[in-house]
PDB file of all heavy atoms in Angstrom:
ATOM      1  N   GLN A1217      -6.987 -16.921 -11.304  1.00  0.00           N
ATOM      2  CA  GLN A1217      -7.316 -15.537 -11.534  1.00  0.00           C
ATOM      3  C   GLN A1217      -6.714 -14.619 -10.428  1.00  0.00           C
ATOM      4  O   GLN A1217      -6.392 -13.480 -10.717  1.00  0.00           O
ATOM      5  CB  GLN A1217      -8.869 -15.339 -11.607  1.00  0.00           C
ATOM      6  CG  GLN A1217      -9.455 -15.875 -12.843  1.00  0.00           C
ATOM      7  CD  GLN A1217      -8.959 -15.233 -14.057  1.00  0.00           C
ATOM      8  OE1 GLN A1217      -8.640 -14.028 -14.141  1.00  0.00           O
ATOM      9  NE2 GLN A1217      -8.670 -16.044 -15.092  1.00  0.00           N
ATOM     10  N   ILE A1218      -6.641 -15.118  -9.244  1.00  0.00           N
ATOM     11  CA  ILE A1218      -6.041 -14.313  -8.156  1.00  0.00           C
ATOM     12  C   ILE A1218      -4.623 -13.942  -8.458  1.00  0.00           C
ATOM     13  O   ILE A1218      -4.127 -12.822  -8.340  1.00  0.00           O
ATOM     14  CB  ILE A1218      -6.202 -15.046  -6.779  1.00  0.00           C
ATOM     15  CG1 ILE A1218      -7.655 -15.023  -6.339  1.00  0.00           C
ATOM     16  CG2 ILE A1218      -5.255 -14.407  -5.743  1.00  0.00           C
ATOM     17  CD1 ILE A1218      -7.917 -15.862  -5.081  1.00  0.00           C
ATOM     18  N   VAL A1219      -3.834 -14.990  -8.948  1.00  0.00           N
ATOM     19  CA  VAL A1219      -2.445 -14.767  -9.266  1.00  0.00           C
ATOM     20  C   VAL A1219      -2.344 -13.787 -10.461  1.00  0.00           C
ATOM     21  O   VAL A1219      -1.501 -12.884 -10.505  1.00  0.00           O
ATOM     22  CB  VAL A1219      -1.783 -16.073  -9.595  1.00  0.00           C
ATOM     23  CG1 VAL A1219      -0.364 -15.889 -10.155  1.00  0.00           C
ATOM     24  CG2 VAL A1219      -1.724 -16.971  -8.298  1.00  0.00           C
ATOM     25  N   LYS A1220      -3.210 -13.948 -11.464  1.00  0.00           N
ATOM     26  CA  LYS A1220      -3.156 -13.130 -12.685  1.00  0.00           C
ATOM     27  C   LYS A1220      -3.580 -11.691 -12.387  1.00  0.00           C
ATOM     28  O   LYS A1220      -3.051 -10.771 -12.958  1.00  0.00           O
ATOM     29  CB  LYS A1220      -4.090 -13.688 -13.752  1.00  0.00           C
ATOM     30  CG  LYS A1220      -4.011 -13.062 -15.051  1.00  0.00           C
ATOM     31  CD  LYS A1220      -5.075 -13.497 -16.019  1.00  0.00           C
ATOM     32  CE  LYS A1220      -4.862 -14.897 -16.551  1.00  0.00           C
ATOM     33  NZ  LYS A1220      -5.841 -15.248 -17.627  1.00  0.00           N
ATOM     34  N   ASN A1221      -4.535 -11.484 -11.543  1.00  0.00           N
ATOM     35  CA  ASN A1221      -5.076 -10.167 -11.327  1.00  0.00           C
ATOM     36  C   ASN A1221      -4.350  -9.284 -10.283  1.00  0.00           C
ATOM     37  O   ASN A1221      -4.732  -8.156 -10.093  1.00  0.00           O
ATOM     38  CB  ASN A1221      -6.552 -10.237 -10.932  1.00  0.00           C
ATOM     39  CG  ASN A1221      -7.411 -10.697 -12.071  1.00  0.00           C
ATOM     40  OD1 ASN A1221      -7.090 -10.521 -13.203  1.00  0.00           O
ATOM     41  ND2 ASN A1221      -8.553 -11.274 -11.745  1.00  0.00           N
ATOM     42  N   GLN A1222      -3.328  -9.772  -9.614  1.00  0.00           N
ATOM     43  CA  GLN A1222      -2.652  -9.008  -8.575  1.00  0.00           C
ATOM     44  C   GLN A1222      -1.957  -7.836  -9.177  1.00  0.00           C
ATOM     45  O   GLN A1222      -1.965  -6.754  -8.628  1.00  0.00           O
ATOM     46  CB  GLN A1222      -1.637  -9.835  -7.860  1.00  0.00           C
ATOM     47  CG  GLN A1222      -2.303 -10.803  -6.830  1.00  0.00           C
ATOM     48  CD  GLN A1222      -1.320 -11.687  -6.132  1.00  0.00           C
ATOM     49  OE1 GLN A1222      -0.131 -11.781  -6.506  1.00  0.00           O
ATOM     50  NE2 GLN A1222      -1.791 -12.313  -5.051  1.00  0.00           N
ATOM     51  N   GLY A1223      -1.293  -7.961 -10.344  1.00  0.00           N
ATOM     52  CA  GLY A1223      -0.605  -6.834 -11.006  1.00  0.00           C
ATOM     53  C   GLY A1223      -1.621  -5.822 -11.538  1.00  0.00           C
ATOM     54  O   GLY A1223      -1.418  -4.604 -11.392  1.00  0.00           O
ATOM     55  N   SER A1224      -2.669  -6.247 -12.138  1.00  0.00           N
ATOM     56  CA  SER A1224      -3.632  -5.318 -12.635  1.00  0.00           C
ATOM     57  C   SER A1224      -4.395  -4.633 -11.533  1.00  0.00           C
ATOM     58  O   SER A1224      -4.759  -3.456 -11.643  1.00  0.00           O
ATOM     59  CB  SER A1224      -4.608  -6.067 -13.590  1.00  0.00           C
ATOM     60  OG  SER A1224      -5.899  -6.126 -13.100  1.00  0.00           O
ATOM     61  N   SER A1225      -4.577  -5.286 -10.403  1.00  0.00           N
ATOM     62  CA  SER A1225      -5.268  -4.638  -9.278  1.00  0.00           C
ATOM     63  C   SER A1225      -4.403  -3.482  -8.691  1.00  0.00           C
ATOM     64  O   SER A1225      -4.900  -2.405  -8.348  1.00  0.00           O
ATOM     65  CB  SER A1225      -5.562  -5.682  -8.179  1.00  0.00           C
ATOM     66  OG  SER A1225      -6.013  -5.048  -7.022  1.00  0.00           O
ATOM     67  N   GLN A1226      -3.082  -3.732  -8.642  1.00  0.00           N
ATOM     68  CA  GLN A1226      -2.158  -2.720  -8.109  1.00  0.00           C
ATOM     69  C   GLN A1226      -2.182  -1.490  -9.097  1.00  0.00           C
ATOM     70  O   GLN A1226      -2.172  -0.339  -8.611  1.00  0.00           O
ATOM     71  CB  GLN A1226      -0.830  -3.246  -7.947  1.00  0.00           C
ATOM     72  CG  GLN A1226       0.148  -2.276  -7.356  1.00  0.00           C
ATOM     73  CD  GLN A1226       1.525  -2.907  -7.094  1.00  0.00           C
ATOM     74  OE1 GLN A1226       1.847  -3.915  -7.620  1.00  0.00           O
ATOM     75  NE2 GLN A1226       2.423  -2.152  -6.374  1.00  0.00           N
ATOM     76  N   ARG A1227      -2.145  -1.816 -10.352  1.00  0.00           N
ATOM     77  CA  ARG A1227      -2.178  -0.665 -11.380  1.00  0.00           C
ATOM     78  C   ARG A1227      -3.437   0.126 -11.223  1.00  0.00           C
ATOM     79  O   ARG A1227      -3.465   1.388 -11.257  1.00  0.00           O
ATOM     80  CB  ARG A1227      -2.052  -1.268 -12.769  1.00  0.00           C
ATOM     81  CG  ARG A1227      -2.120  -0.203 -13.839  1.00  0.00           C
ATOM     82  CD  ARG A1227      -2.275  -0.794 -15.195  1.00  0.00           C
ATOM     83  NE  ARG A1227      -3.398  -1.686 -15.398  1.00  0.00           N
ATOM     84  CZ  ARG A1227      -4.649  -1.274 -15.657  1.00  0.00           C
ATOM     85  NH1 ARG A1227      -4.938  -0.045 -15.800  1.00  0.00           N
ATOM     86  NH2 ARG A1227      -5.603  -2.172 -15.801  1.00  0.00           N
ATOM     87  N   GLN A1228      -4.568  -0.593 -10.992  1.00  0.00           N
ATOM     88  CA  GLN A1228      -5.900   0.119 -10.864  1.00  0.00           C
ATOM     89  C   GLN A1228      -5.882   0.952  -9.602  1.00  0.00           C
ATOM     90  O   GLN A1228      -6.414   2.089  -9.574  1.00  0.00           O
ATOM     91  CB  GLN A1228      -6.989  -0.866 -10.879  1.00  0.00           C
ATOM     92  CG  GLN A1228      -7.254  -1.521 -12.157  1.00  0.00           C
ATOM     93  CD  GLN A1228      -8.242  -2.666 -12.126  1.00  0.00           C
ATOM     94  OE1 GLN A1228      -8.605  -3.074 -11.001  1.00  0.00           O
ATOM     95  NE2 GLN A1228      -8.620  -3.171 -13.274  1.00  0.00           N
ATOM     96  N   ASP A1229      -5.335   0.456  -8.494  1.00  0.00           N
ATOM     97  CA  ASP A1229      -5.261   1.248  -7.273  1.00  0.00           C
ATOM     98  C   ASP A1229      -4.470   2.532  -7.411  1.00  0.00           C
ATOM     99  O   ASP A1229      -4.850   3.612  -7.018  1.00  0.00           O
ATOM    100  CB  ASP A1229      -4.690   0.403  -6.158  1.00  0.00           C
ATOM    101  CG  ASP A1229      -5.565  -0.736  -5.758  1.00  0.00           C
ATOM    102  OD1 ASP A1229      -6.781  -0.749  -6.078  1.00  0.00           O
ATOM    103  OD2 ASP A1229      -5.041  -1.627  -5.043  1.00  0.00           O
ATOM    104  N   ILE A1230      -3.301   2.394  -8.105  1.00  0.00           N
ATOM    105  CA  ILE A1230      -2.433   3.563  -8.280  1.00  0.00           C
ATOM    106  C   ILE A1230      -3.131   4.604  -9.121  1.00  0.00           C
ATOM    107  O   ILE A1230      -3.140   5.800  -8.765  1.00  0.00           O
ATOM    108  CB  ILE A1230      -1.112   3.093  -8.942  1.00  0.00           C
ATOM    109  CG1 ILE A1230      -0.286   2.271  -7.896  1.00  0.00           C
ATOM    110  CG2 ILE A1230      -0.254   4.293  -9.354  1.00  0.00           C
ATOM    111  CD1 ILE A1230       0.903   1.578  -8.480  1.00  0.00           C
ATOM    112  N   LEU A1231      -3.699   4.177 -10.287  1.00  0.00           N
ATOM    113  CA  LEU A1231      -4.338   5.147 -11.126  1.00  0.00           C
ATOM    114  C   LEU A1231      -5.579   5.751 -10.469  1.00  0.00           C
ATOM    115  O   LEU A1231      -5.913   6.950 -10.648  1.00  0.00           O
ATOM    116  CB  LEU A1231      -4.768   4.414 -12.389  1.00  0.00           C
ATOM    117  CG  LEU A1231      -3.633   4.126 -13.389  1.00  0.00           C
ATOM    118  CD1 LEU A1231      -4.174   3.362 -14.582  1.00  0.00           C
ATOM    119  CD2 LEU A1231      -2.869   5.335 -13.841  1.00  0.00           C
TER     120      LEU A1231
END
Side-chain angles (χ1 to χ4, degrees):
Q1217 289 300 321
I1218 288 172
V1219 172
K1220 187 189 287 186
N1221 289 335
Q1222 284 178 347
S1224 114
S1225 173
Q1226 185 179 11
R1227 178 191 55 85
Q1228 290 171 351
D1229 292 344
I1230 291 169
L1231 289 176

